[in-house]
PDB file of all heavy atoms in Angstrom:
ATOM      1  N   PRO N 892      -4.164  -8.470 -10.929  1.00  0.00           N
ATOM      2  CA  PRO N 892      -2.970  -9.360 -10.426  1.00  0.00           C
ATOM      3  C   PRO N 892      -2.320  -9.887 -11.674  1.00  0.00           C
ATOM      4  O   PRO N 892      -2.933 -10.270 -12.749  1.00  0.00           O
ATOM      5  CB  PRO N 892      -3.752 -10.483  -9.671  1.00  0.00           C
ATOM      6  CG  PRO N 892      -5.083  -9.842  -9.290  1.00  0.00           C
ATOM      7  CD  PRO N 892      -5.547  -9.020 -10.344  1.00  0.00           C
ATOM      8  N   THR N 893      -1.071  -9.903 -11.669  1.00  0.00           N
ATOM      9  CA  THR N 893      -0.172 -10.570 -12.653  1.00  0.00           C
ATOM     10  C   THR N 893       0.567 -11.716 -11.994  1.00  0.00           C
ATOM     11  O   THR N 893       0.531 -11.880 -10.697  1.00  0.00           O
ATOM     12  CB  THR N 893       0.761  -9.585 -13.190  1.00  0.00           C
ATOM     13  OG1 THR N 893       1.730  -9.344 -12.176  1.00  0.00           O
ATOM     14  CG2 THR N 893       0.113  -8.325 -13.795  1.00  0.00           C
ATOM     15  N   PRO N 894       1.241 -12.701 -12.637  1.00  0.00           N
ATOM     16  CA  PRO N 894       1.973 -13.657 -11.973  1.00  0.00           C
ATOM     17  C   PRO N 894       2.973 -13.040 -11.026  1.00  0.00           C
ATOM     18  O   PRO N 894       3.173 -13.594  -9.908  1.00  0.00           O
ATOM     19  CB  PRO N 894       2.863 -14.256 -13.164  1.00  0.00           C
ATOM     20  CG  PRO N 894       1.754 -14.191 -14.219  1.00  0.00           C
ATOM     21  CD  PRO N 894       1.100 -12.707 -14.140  1.00  0.00           C
ATOM     22  N   GLU N 895       3.573 -11.869 -11.173  1.00  0.00           N
ATOM     23  CA  GLU N 895       4.497 -11.305 -10.299  1.00  0.00           C
ATOM     24  C   GLU N 895       3.858 -10.770  -9.086  1.00  0.00           C
ATOM     25  O   GLU N 895       4.400 -10.543  -8.014  1.00  0.00           O
ATOM     26  CB  GLU N 895       5.278 -10.210 -11.125  1.00  0.00           C
ATOM     27  CG  GLU N 895       6.171 -10.798 -12.104  1.00  0.00           C
ATOM     28  CD  GLU N 895       6.919  -9.544 -12.797  1.00  0.00           C
ATOM     29  OE1 GLU N 895       6.847  -8.420 -12.334  1.00  0.00           O
ATOM     30  OE2 GLU N 895       7.649  -9.923 -13.780  1.00  0.00           O
ATOM     31  N   THR N 896       2.549 -10.281  -9.089  1.00  0.00           N
ATOM     32  CA  THR N 896       1.844  -9.717  -7.986  1.00  0.00           C
ATOM     33  C   THR N 896       0.807 -10.506  -7.381  1.00  0.00           C
ATOM     34  O   THR N 896       0.278 -10.076  -6.345  1.00  0.00           O
ATOM     35  CB  THR N 896       1.197  -8.330  -8.439  1.00  0.00           C
ATOM     36  OG1 THR N 896       0.230  -8.576  -9.442  1.00  0.00           O
ATOM     37  CG2 THR N 896       2.281  -7.421  -9.045  1.00  0.00           C
ATOM     38  N   GLN N 897       0.619 -11.786  -7.912  1.00  0.00           N
ATOM     39  CA  GLN N 897      -0.397 -12.591  -7.384  1.00  0.00           C
ATOM     40  C   GLN N 897      -0.282 -12.808  -5.890  1.00  0.00           C
ATOM     41  O   GLN N 897      -1.143 -12.880  -5.107  1.00  0.00           O
ATOM     42  CB  GLN N 897      -0.500 -13.850  -8.198  1.00  0.00           C
ATOM     43  CG  GLN N 897      -1.731 -14.801  -7.794  1.00  0.00           C
ATOM     44  CD  GLN N 897      -3.060 -14.080  -8.138  1.00  0.00           C
ATOM     45  OE1 GLN N 897      -3.180 -13.659  -9.351  1.00  0.00           O
ATOM     46  NE2 GLN N 897      -3.942 -13.927  -7.157  1.00  0.00           N
ATOM     47  N   HIS N 898       1.061 -13.095  -5.413  1.00  0.00           N
ATOM     48  CA  HIS N 898       1.181 -13.397  -4.127  1.00  0.00           C
ATOM     49  C   HIS N 898       0.760 -12.233  -3.216  1.00  0.00           C
ATOM     50  O   HIS N 898       0.252 -12.500  -2.070  1.00  0.00           O
ATOM     51  CB  HIS N 898       2.619 -13.635  -3.706  1.00  0.00           C
ATOM     52  CG  HIS N 898       3.549 -12.517  -3.841  1.00  0.00           C
ATOM     53  ND1 HIS N 898       4.326 -12.240  -5.008  1.00  0.00           N
ATOM     54  CD2 HIS N 898       3.835 -11.564  -2.865  1.00  0.00           C
ATOM     55  CE1 HIS N 898       5.000 -11.121  -4.721  1.00  0.00           C
ATOM     56  NE2 HIS N 898       4.682 -10.658  -3.519  1.00  0.00           N
ATOM     57  N   PHE N 899       0.929 -11.069  -3.563  1.00  0.00           N
ATOM     58  CA  PHE N 899       0.483  -9.890  -2.931  1.00  0.00           C
ATOM     59  C   PHE N 899      -1.017  -9.803  -2.721  1.00  0.00           C
ATOM     60  O   PHE N 899      -1.533  -9.636  -1.667  1.00  0.00           O
ATOM     61  CB  PHE N 899       0.986  -8.499  -3.683  1.00  0.00           C
ATOM     62  CG  PHE N 899       0.550  -7.268  -2.908  1.00  0.00           C
ATOM     63  CD1 PHE N 899       1.268  -6.923  -1.689  1.00  0.00           C
ATOM     64  CD2 PHE N 899      -0.542  -6.646  -3.316  1.00  0.00           C
ATOM     65  CE1 PHE N 899       0.898  -5.695  -0.963  1.00  0.00           C
ATOM     66  CE2 PHE N 899      -0.912  -5.378  -2.576  1.00  0.00           C
ATOM     67  CZ  PHE N 899      -0.115  -5.061  -1.445  1.00  0.00           C
ATOM     68  N   TRP N 900      -1.838 -10.094  -3.802  1.00  0.00           N
ATOM     69  CA  TRP N 900      -3.191 -10.089  -3.812  1.00  0.00           C
ATOM     70  C   TRP N 900      -3.694 -11.221  -3.084  1.00  0.00           C
ATOM     71  O   TRP N 900      -4.912 -11.041  -2.424  1.00  0.00           O
ATOM     72  CB  TRP N 900      -3.867  -9.955  -5.304  1.00  0.00           C
ATOM     73  CG  TRP N 900      -3.409  -8.667  -5.933  1.00  0.00           C
ATOM     74  CD1 TRP N 900      -2.472  -8.483  -6.975  1.00  0.00           C
ATOM     75  CD2 TRP N 900      -3.662  -7.293  -5.441  1.00  0.00           C
ATOM     76  NE1 TRP N 900      -2.123  -7.103  -7.043  1.00  0.00           N
ATOM     77  CE2 TRP N 900      -2.944  -6.379  -6.305  1.00  0.00           C
ATOM     78  CE3 TRP N 900      -4.448  -6.693  -4.466  1.00  0.00           C
ATOM     79  CZ2 TRP N 900      -3.059  -5.081  -6.122  1.00  0.00           C
ATOM     80  CZ3 TRP N 900      -4.601  -5.308  -4.244  1.00  0.00           C
ATOM     81  CH2 TRP N 900      -3.882  -4.516  -5.179  1.00  0.00           C
ATOM     82  N   ASP N 901      -3.143 -12.393  -3.154  1.00  0.00           N
ATOM     83  CA  ASP N 901      -3.493 -13.427  -2.298  1.00  0.00           C
ATOM     84  C   ASP N 901      -3.300 -13.150  -0.782  1.00  0.00           C
ATOM     85  O   ASP N 901      -4.234 -13.540  -0.025  1.00  0.00           O
ATOM     86  CB  ASP N 901      -2.671 -14.735  -2.673  1.00  0.00           C
ATOM     87  CG  ASP N 901      -2.940 -15.372  -3.850  1.00  0.00           C
ATOM     88  OD1 ASP N 901      -3.932 -15.093  -4.575  1.00  0.00           O
ATOM     89  OD2 ASP N 901      -2.077 -16.180  -4.371  1.00  0.00           O
ATOM     90  N   GLY N 902      -2.358 -12.349  -0.632  1.00  0.00           N
ATOM     91  CA  GLY N 902      -2.097 -12.034   0.869  1.00  0.00           C
ATOM     92  C   GLY N 902      -3.213 -11.021   1.390  1.00  0.00           C
ATOM     93  O   GLY N 902      -3.719 -11.236   2.490  1.00  0.00           O
ATOM     94  N   THR N 903      -3.532  -9.930   0.554  1.00  0.00           N
ATOM     95  CA  THR N 903      -4.572  -9.050   1.098  1.00  0.00           C
ATOM     96  C   THR N 903      -5.896  -9.829   1.273  1.00  0.00           C
ATOM     97  O   THR N 903      -6.530  -9.417   2.184  1.00  0.00           O
ATOM     98  CB  THR N 903      -4.815  -7.862   0.221  1.00  0.00           C
ATOM     99  OG1 THR N 903      -5.197  -8.301  -1.096  1.00  0.00           O
ATOM    100  CG2 THR N 903      -3.358  -7.019   0.061  1.00  0.00           C
ATOM    101  N   GLN N 904      -6.193 -10.771   0.613  1.00  0.00           N
ATOM    102  CA  GLN N 904      -7.441 -11.502   0.681  1.00  0.00           C
ATOM    103  C   GLN N 904      -7.536 -12.116   2.054  1.00  0.00           C
ATOM    104  O   GLN N 904      -8.723 -12.424   2.518  1.00  0.00           O
ATOM    105  CB  GLN N 904      -7.660 -12.448  -0.482  1.00  0.00           C
ATOM    106  CG  GLN N 904      -8.235 -11.832  -1.879  1.00  0.00           C
ATOM    107  CD  GLN N 904      -8.639 -12.908  -2.872  1.00  0.00           C
ATOM    108  OE1 GLN N 904      -8.037 -14.019  -2.959  1.00  0.00           O
ATOM    109  NE2 GLN N 904      -9.666 -12.514  -3.560  1.00  0.00           N
ATOM    110  N   VAL N 905      -6.376 -12.604   2.395  1.00  0.00           N
ATOM    111  CA  VAL N 905      -6.469 -13.314   3.768  1.00  0.00           C
ATOM    112  C   VAL N 905      -5.888 -12.404   4.986  1.00  0.00           C
ATOM    113  O   VAL N 905      -5.618 -12.841   6.105  1.00  0.00           O
ATOM    114  CB  VAL N 905      -5.684 -14.672   3.754  1.00  0.00           C
ATOM    115  CG1 VAL N 905      -6.276 -15.538   2.827  1.00  0.00           C
ATOM    116  CG2 VAL N 905      -4.145 -14.380   3.344  1.00  0.00           C
ATOM    117  N   GLY N 906      -5.989 -11.136   4.722  1.00  0.00           N
ATOM    118  CA  GLY N 906      -5.506 -10.169   5.807  1.00  0.00           C
ATOM    119  C   GLY N 906      -4.092  -9.927   5.980  1.00  0.00           C
ATOM    120  O   GLY N 906      -3.691  -9.730   7.161  1.00  0.00           O
ATOM    121  N   GLU N 907      -3.361 -10.310   5.003  1.00  0.00           N
ATOM    122  CA  GLU N 907      -1.803 -10.100   5.184  1.00  0.00           C
ATOM    123  C   GLU N 907      -1.268  -9.192   4.170  1.00  0.00           C
ATOM    124  O   GLU N 907      -1.565  -9.184   3.060  1.00  0.00           O
ATOM    125  CB  GLU N 907      -1.249 -11.458   4.965  1.00  0.00           C
ATOM    126  CG  GLU N 907      -1.570 -12.521   5.993  1.00  0.00           C
ATOM    127  CD  GLU N 907      -0.610 -13.807   5.858  1.00  0.00           C
ATOM    128  OE1 GLU N 907       0.118 -13.940   4.947  1.00  0.00           O
ATOM    129  OE2 GLU N 907      -0.924 -14.704   6.638  1.00  0.00           O
ATOM    130  N   LEU N 908      -0.442  -8.304   4.633  1.00  0.00           N
ATOM    131  CA  LEU N 908       0.366  -7.463   3.746  1.00  0.00           C
ATOM    132  C   LEU N 908       1.683  -8.102   3.530  1.00  0.00           C
ATOM    133  O   LEU N 908       2.448  -8.202   4.358  1.00  0.00           O
ATOM    134  CB  LEU N 908       0.490  -6.040   4.440  1.00  0.00           C
ATOM    135  CG  LEU N 908       1.021  -4.962   3.511  1.00  0.00           C
ATOM    136  CD1 LEU N 908      -0.013  -4.511   2.529  1.00  0.00           C
ATOM    137  CD2 LEU N 908       1.370  -3.634   4.392  1.00  0.00           C
ATOM    138  N   ARG N 909       1.797  -8.474   2.174  1.00  0.00           N
ATOM    139  CA  ARG N 909       3.023  -9.326   1.963  1.00  0.00           C
ATOM    140  C   ARG N 909       4.177  -8.460   1.190  1.00  0.00           C
ATOM    141  O   ARG N 909       3.776  -7.789   0.187  1.00  0.00           O
ATOM    142  CB  ARG N 909       2.675 -10.558   1.081  1.00  0.00           C
ATOM    143  CG  ARG N 909       1.893 -11.507   1.936  1.00  0.00           C
ATOM    144  CD  ARG N 909       1.479 -12.770   1.221  1.00  0.00           C
ATOM    145  NE  ARG N 909       0.679 -13.617   2.009  1.00  0.00           N
ATOM    146  CZ  ARG N 909      -0.124 -14.637   1.572  1.00  0.00           C
ATOM    147  NH1 ARG N 909       0.019 -15.028   0.196  1.00  0.00           N
ATOM    148  NH2 ARG N 909      -0.778 -15.407   2.301  1.00  0.00           N
ATOM    149  N   LEU N 910       5.368  -8.546   1.608  1.00  0.00           N
ATOM    150  CA  LEU N 910       6.401  -7.792   1.000  1.00  0.00           C
ATOM    151  C   LEU N 910       7.490  -8.940   0.476  1.00  0.00           C
ATOM    152  O   LEU N 910       7.317 -10.163   0.769  1.00  0.00           O
ATOM    153  CB  LEU N 910       7.097  -6.917   1.936  1.00  0.00           C
ATOM    154  CG  LEU N 910       6.283  -5.666   2.454  1.00  0.00           C
ATOM    155  CD1 LEU N 910       7.049  -4.985   3.622  1.00  0.00           C
ATOM    156  CD2 LEU N 910       5.864  -4.813   1.521  1.00  0.00           C
ATOM    157  N   GLN N 911       8.430  -8.562  -0.091  1.00  0.00           N
ATOM    158  CA  GLN N 911       9.477  -9.369  -0.554  1.00  0.00           C
ATOM    159  C   GLN N 911      10.879  -8.884  -0.043  1.00  0.00           C
ATOM    160  O   GLN N 911      11.076  -7.822   0.188  1.00  0.00           O
ATOM    161  CB  GLN N 911       9.654  -9.550  -2.056  1.00  0.00           C
ATOM    162  CG  GLN N 911       8.416 -10.286  -2.695  1.00  0.00           C
ATOM    163  CD  GLN N 911       8.364 -10.056  -4.195  1.00  0.00           C
ATOM    164  OE1 GLN N 911       8.060  -9.088  -4.706  1.00  0.00           O
ATOM    165  NE2 GLN N 911       8.636 -11.305  -4.942  1.00  0.00           N
ATOM    166  N   ARG N 912      11.763  -9.988   0.307  1.00  0.00           N
ATOM    167  CA  ARG N 912      13.016  -9.724   0.915  1.00  0.00           C
ATOM    168  C   ARG N 912      13.995 -10.496   0.114  1.00  0.00           C
ATOM    169  O   ARG N 912      13.878 -11.699  -0.340  1.00  0.00           O
ATOM    170  CB  ARG N 912      13.126 -10.136   2.376  1.00  0.00           C
ATOM    171  CG  ARG N 912      14.449  -9.862   3.001  1.00  0.00           C
ATOM    172  CD  ARG N 912      14.583 -10.381   4.424  1.00  0.00           C
ATOM    173  NE  ARG N 912      13.866  -9.629   5.310  1.00  0.00           N
ATOM    174  CZ  ARG N 912      12.819 -10.142   6.138  1.00  0.00           C
ATOM    175  NH1 ARG N 912      12.415 -11.346   6.021  1.00  0.00           N
ATOM    176  NH2 ARG N 912      12.238  -9.360   6.988  1.00  0.00           N
ATOM    177  N   CYS N 913      15.082  -9.834  -0.168  1.00  0.00           N
ATOM    178  CA  CYS N 913      16.128 -10.490  -0.931  1.00  0.00           C
ATOM    179  C   CYS N 913      16.925 -11.456  -0.160  1.00  0.00           C
ATOM    180  O   CYS N 913      17.355 -11.068   0.987  1.00  0.00           O
ATOM    181  CB  CYS N 913      17.080  -9.415  -1.537  1.00  0.00           C
ATOM    182  SG  CYS N 913      18.575 -10.027  -2.403  1.00  0.00           S
ATOM    183  N   ASP N 914      17.237 -12.700  -0.449  1.00  0.00           N
ATOM    184  CA  ASP N 914      17.873 -13.592   0.242  1.00  0.00           C
ATOM    185  C   ASP N 914      19.359 -13.290   0.262  1.00  0.00           C
ATOM    186  O   ASP N 914      20.240 -13.755   1.038  1.00  0.00           O
ATOM    187  CB  ASP N 914      17.630 -15.064  -0.221  1.00  0.00           C
ATOM    188  CG  ASP N 914      16.170 -15.480   0.028  1.00  0.00           C
ATOM    189  OD1 ASP N 914      15.508 -14.831   0.739  1.00  0.00           O
ATOM    190  OD2 ASP N 914      15.814 -16.481  -0.765  1.00  0.00           O
ATOM    191  N   ALA N 915      19.827 -12.501  -0.883  1.00  0.00           N
ATOM    192  CA  ALA N 915      21.231 -12.354  -0.971  1.00  0.00           C
ATOM    193  C   ALA N 915      21.681 -11.072  -0.192  1.00  0.00           C
ATOM    194  O   ALA N 915      22.794 -11.165   0.590  1.00  0.00           O
ATOM    195  CB  ALA N 915      21.493 -12.046  -2.412  1.00  0.00           C
ATOM    196  N   CYS N 916      20.910  -9.990  -0.106  1.00  0.00           N
ATOM    197  CA  CYS N 916      21.393  -8.682   0.445  1.00  0.00           C
ATOM    198  C   CYS N 916      20.402  -8.218   1.475  1.00  0.00           C
ATOM    199  O   CYS N 916      20.640  -7.113   2.081  1.00  0.00           O
ATOM    200  CB  CYS N 916      21.621  -7.627  -0.616  1.00  0.00           C
ATOM    201  SG  CYS N 916      20.124  -6.918  -1.350  1.00  0.00           S
TER     202      CYS N 916
END
Side-chain angles (χ1 to χ4, degrees):
T893 66
E895 291 180 7
T896 63
Q897 188 65 53
H898 72 265
F899 181 78
W900 299 112
D901 287 347
T903 59
Q904 281 194 325
V905 296
E907 294 187 0
L908 191 67
R909 293 179 183 170
L910 298 174
Q911 286 170 291
R912 180 187 287 118
C913 175
D914 295 340
C916 76

